Amino acid sequence: MSRVSPAVRSLLRQPCSSQWRKTPLIRSSLAWTKPAYQPIRCLATPAAMPSVSKENIGVYCNPAHDLWVKESGPSMEEVKTGKALKEGEVTIAIKSTGICGSDVHFWRHGRIGPMVVEHDHILGHESAGEIIAVHPSVKNLSVGDRVAVEPSSICNKCEPCLTGRYNGCLEMRFMSTPPVDGLLRRYVNHSAIWCHKIGDMSYEDGAMLEPLSVSLAGMHRAQIALGDPVLICGAGPIGLMTLLCCAAAGAEPIVITDIDQNRLNVAKEICPRVKTYKVEPGVSMEEAGAAMSKLAGGALTTALECSGVESSIAAAIYSVKFGGKVFVIGVGKPDMQIPFMRLSTQEIDLQFQYRYANTWPRAIRLVQSGVIDMKRLVTHRFDLEDAVGAFETSAASAKTGAIKVLIQNP
């Protein structure tokens, strides 16, 4: 009868740790024998043992409008050990992040409406990356998964949350909106439910899902349908993204406006059938609106305002016909003057949008299938260490030709 020595039996009862295992027992012709035990390093796949070799850094601004890169949390040690992870969280190695106009605004102006930069503040909310650590409570994600990060954290208790419109959460913590730090870091801990798998999609496209979500939310609420005549005001990143969406939805005709001819040229490149209108200085709101309407054949039913500029919103109001709609996607100054009587006498609906809800799965499907191709919108790329130069390039878009500037962390 085969026997196992007490020493071997004791070793067999010991669990194999993540770092060490024991060699197998060696069977002789007569019985199991005690081998010479040597500890052997556990083999692990690259996905299970991600490389964390650099300290975490982030891109900061402050009330004095300074912009700089310095060390940030979680620390490299916390990332390696997972000690800082809370229940339901994962650690993401951020690979690509887009600079949003709001990031530039927080840096240069220190506020957007009631959202004020009061301390050192980390920017960025358009990001994608790789999962490198997972809290044991997380079951839907694994180390090595490629994800796009929806930068939200909600209460799941208020009416907007419970009715599916969580962008209106009364306790929303939106990353990069003060006082909540943003995603422009090497490593970030975030709730797993807001990390959307992107498969083999590029990290650049994954980062661009955030501005695409803004456009998709606007398209959904404005109810753009096949054959609708549409005006898009502003050919910045959101305006051009909205153009891609309107074209994919079959809107016709489509007119897009801007003060920058270069951006209108890009609009024509990504959608050859679009009609462009360059806004010139000194032209009244009424004149601009009439010219836009004429360019569309006088049948504009919906204007999607993507700039947030007061004069552009007013021109959009003058462009649509009786019973039309002006849907404002862009963000502007806190108080504005609008042509109220034009809205009233023409029964024009004026609607607004705040961020997005439930858009990421749809955005991922559109990009993965090739229905939406956002690559042309990316004009500049910078390493994370050179983030200050990236922001300067984005802020000087009229001179640099920047549309979407991405910050990368290979």
Side-chain angles (χ1 to χ4, degrees):
M1 181 176 178
S2 299
R3 293 182 300 171
V4 179
S5 71
V8 173
R9 190 178 295 111
S10 174
L11 285 169
L12 288 173
R13 290 196 183 107
Q14 297 177 15
C16 178
S17 72
S18 61
Q19 295 185 351
W20 303 97
R21 65 178 171 85
K22 296 174 284 296
T23 56
L25 292 174
I26 300 171
R27 185 171 186 178
S28 71
S29 59
L30 297 176
W32 290 100
T33 61
K34 178 182 177 181
Y37 275 85
Q38 296 292 333
I40 300 175
R41 189 81 177 183
C42 268
L43 301 178
T45 63
M49 296 288 288
S51 175
V52 180
S53 58
K54 296 181 179 180
E55 289 289 347
N56 200 3
I57 56 175
V59 182
Y60 291 78
C61 68
N62 63 14
H65 314 300
D66 299 315
L67 186 72
W68 72 100
V69 179
K70 73 170 185 178
E71 288 188 9
S72 175
S75 69
M76 184 167 67
E77 181 63 24
E78 288 174 328
V79 172
K80 286 183 174 180
T81 62
K83 290 180 179 178
L85 280 177
K86 300 175 183 177
E87 185 174 352
E89 286 189 339
V90 295
T91 302
I92 311 133
I94 300 295
K95 300 296 185 180
S96 187
T97 301
I99 296 178
C100 177
S102 65
D103 294 318
V104 175
H105 213 80
F106 281 131
W107 161 42
R108 286 194 152 186
H109 304 283
R111 69 183 302 156
I112 296 177
M115 297 165 282
V116 181
V117 176
E118 297 180 337
H119 310 284
D120 290 357
H121 177 65
I122 301 176
L123 298 165
H125 58 266
E126 304 175 2
S127 298
E130 178 189 3
I131 301 295
I132 59 172
V134 178
H135 189 277
S137 60
V138 174
K139 306 301 181 184
N140 63 317
L141 291 173
S142 301
V143 170
D145 284 342
R146 300 159 64 90
V147 297
V149 184
E150 186 170 353
S152 305
S153 179
I154 63 175
C155 72
N156 276 313
K157 298 176 182 178
C158 66
E159 182 179 345
C161 285
L162 295 177
T163 56
R165 300 184 65 183
Y166 59 81
N167 53 315
C169 174
L170 302 179
E171 299 179 25
M172 168 69 77
R173 291 176 57 81
F174 191 87
M175 302 184 82
S176 82
T177 296
V180 184
D181 282 333
L183 293 167
L184 263 172
R185 290 176 265 177
R186 278 206 180 101
Y187 316 115
V188 174
N189 292 342
H190 194 47
S191 177
I193 63 172
W194 302 114
C195 295
H196 303 274
K197 293 181 184 180
I198 59 174
D200 60 358
M201 182 189 300
S202 72
Y203 289 122
E204 287 194 358
D205 277 349
M208 295 283 280
L209 292 174
E210 199 279 343
L212 175 57
S213 284
V214 174
S215 295
L216 288 176
M219 293 280 294
H220 179 69
R221 291 199 61 228
Q223 298 180 318
I224 302 300
L226 191 70
D228 281 354
V230 174
L231 169 69
I232 300 170
C233 297
I238 296 299
L240 292 172
M241 195 74 79
T242 301
L243 171 60
L244 289 172
C245 292
C246 286
E252 177 62 28
I254 308 173
V255 178
I256 192 167
T257 74
D258 206 273
I259 60 174
D260 186 337
Q261 185 60 49
N262 177 63
R263 292 192 167 191
L264 293 176
N265 293 341
V266 174
K268 199 74 174 176
E269 184 181 336
I270 63 174
C271 181
R273 64 185 174 88
V274 71
K275 303 176 188 298
T276 62
Y277 177 81
K278 188 173 186 293
V279 180
E280 300 289 355
V283 177
S284 70
M285 298 174 293
E286 295 90 341
E287 291 172 325
M292 297 167 191
S293 177
K294 183 178 180 180
L295 201 57
L300 282 170
T301 57
T302 306
L304 300 173
E305 210 299 312
C306 299
S307 73
V309 176
E310 181 178 307
S311 59
S312 181
I313 295 172
I317 291 170
Y318 280 106
S319 74
V320 296
K321 65 181 186 179
F322 183 91
K325 178 188 298 182
V326 174
F327 191 91
V328 182
I329 298 174
V331 177
K333 61 185 183 181
D335 300 299
M336 296 186 186
Q337 288 187 336
I338 58 172
F340 174 82
M341 286 307 297
R342 166 74 182 180
L343 290 167
S344 177
T345 60
Q346 296 299 303
E347 291 191 0
I348 296 170
D349 294 335
L350 182 61
Q351 289 183 267
F352 297 86
Q353 172 182 334
Y354 189 54
R355 295 174 181 152
Y356 38 70
N358 309 303
T359 52
W360 250 260
R362 181 178 301 184
I364 291 169
R365 290 195 299 270
L366 289 170
V367 175
Q368 286 181 330
S369 66
V371 173
I372 298 292
D373 185 352
M374 309 175 287
K375 294 178 178 62
R376 177 61 184 88
L377 305 188
V378 179
T379 55
H380 297 76
R381 298 169 178 84
F382 289 81
D383 290 338
L384 181 58
E385 294 84 351
D386 300 324
V388 173
F391 271 80
E392 290 171 345
T393 299
S394 183
S397 59
K399 294 181 179 179
T400 63
I403 296 176
K404 180 56 70 174
V405 178
L406 292 181
I407 296 176
Q408 300 172 317
N409 182 43

